Amino acid sequence: MNGTRGFRWFASALVLLALVAANAALAQAPAAASAPLPDGYMRAPPVAAGLAPQMKVTETQGTAHVFEAIFSPGDEILSGLTDLAIKHHITSGYVTGLGGLSGALLGFGDPALGAFAKVDVQEKCELVSLTGHIQMRDGAPYVHLHAIVALKDGSTKAGHVFQLPVAPIAEISVVATAIGEH
């Protein structure tokens, strides 16, 4: 087992152990569930069924292709992932990742204007969450990403990704759920 696989196995085992411990703690908490809560707090309500009548679901079966993309200083993540999707004929997939950035250009969608309010981060920041999808749009792969970046004071900025320049490194996973001709 090489170092990366060993680390992933170890990290997965730690997450599983933490989930088991958290579940055991929650199972022992019914007495606390009836205690009053401070103002502004709430207990999780039951999830109501049937509140998404317009949801559309597509089921696919098959083996996913996983790409691990390591970005270096000066690389731009959205451009690199778009190049990866085109080169490897990815027609559907999802993206997750983290890393360091020299800044970020994000946007907050405003449907009334059909545009984005600019969220411009012009300082070193940490990419603490990157998530998105790859899908076909107008006959070509389209990479749709959202990100949360943390600033040195601990505050965060988030939104639709337009630019993520890397500094010093970013590690991005792409799971291609469909590969075809385009």
Side-chain angles (χ1 to χ4, degrees), residues 109-130:
D110 185 338
L113 294 175
F116 291 87
K118 189 189 296 187
V119 180
D120 194 5
V121 178
Q122 294 196 11
E123 63 184 276
K124 172 81 175 98
C125 55
E126 292 292 323
L127 178 60
V128 296
S129 178
L130 178 70

Side-chain angles (χ1 to χ4, degrees), residues 42-62:
M42 64 179 275
R43 290 189 175 81
V47 176
L51 298 181
Q54 298 180 65
M55 176 178 66
K56 292 178 176 59
V57 176
T58 302
E59 179 181 0
T60 59
Q61 296 181 356

Side-chain angles (χ1 to χ4, degrees), residues 15-174:
V15 168
L16 182 59
L17 183 60
L19 288 173
V20 169
N23 192 32
L26 286 174
Q28 297 174 2
S34 62
L37 296 173
D39 286 342
Y41 286 79
M42 64 179 275
R43 290 189 175 81
V47 176
L51 298 181
Q54 298 180 65
M55 176 178 66
K56 292 178 176 59
V57 176
T58 302
E59 179 181 0
T60 59
Q61 296 181 356
T63 304
H65 297 261
V66 180
F67 299 87
E68 300 294 336
I70 307 300
F71 290 82
S72 297
D75 288 344
E76 199 285 311
I77 292 173
L78 183 58
S79 174
L81 292 178
T82 300
D83 291 346
L84 182 139
I86 291 168
K87 179 179 179 183
H88 293 280
H89 306 285
I90 300 171
T91 58
S92 177
Y94 57 92
V95 178
T96 186
L98 47 81
L101 305 172
S102 61
L105 180 58
L106 308 172
F108 189 86
D110 185 338
L113 294 175
F116 291 87
K118 189 189 296 187
V119 180
D120 194 5
V121 178
Q122 294 196 11
E123 63 184 276
K124 172 81 175 98
C125 55
E126 292 292 323
L127 178 60
V128 296
S129 178
L130 178 70
T131 186
H133 286 119
I134 299 171
Q135 60 198 26
M136 293 300 288
R137 185 178 283 182
D138 299 324
Y142 174 73
V143 180
H144 181 185
L145 301 174
H146 286 207
I148 302 171
V149 299
L151 307 178
K152 66 182 173 187
D153 67 359
S155 65
T156 58
K157 303 266 184 166
H160 177 88
V161 171
F162 291 107
Q163 291 179 357
L164 296 175
V166 175
I169 189 170
E171 300 164 327
I172 312 298
S173 296
V174 176

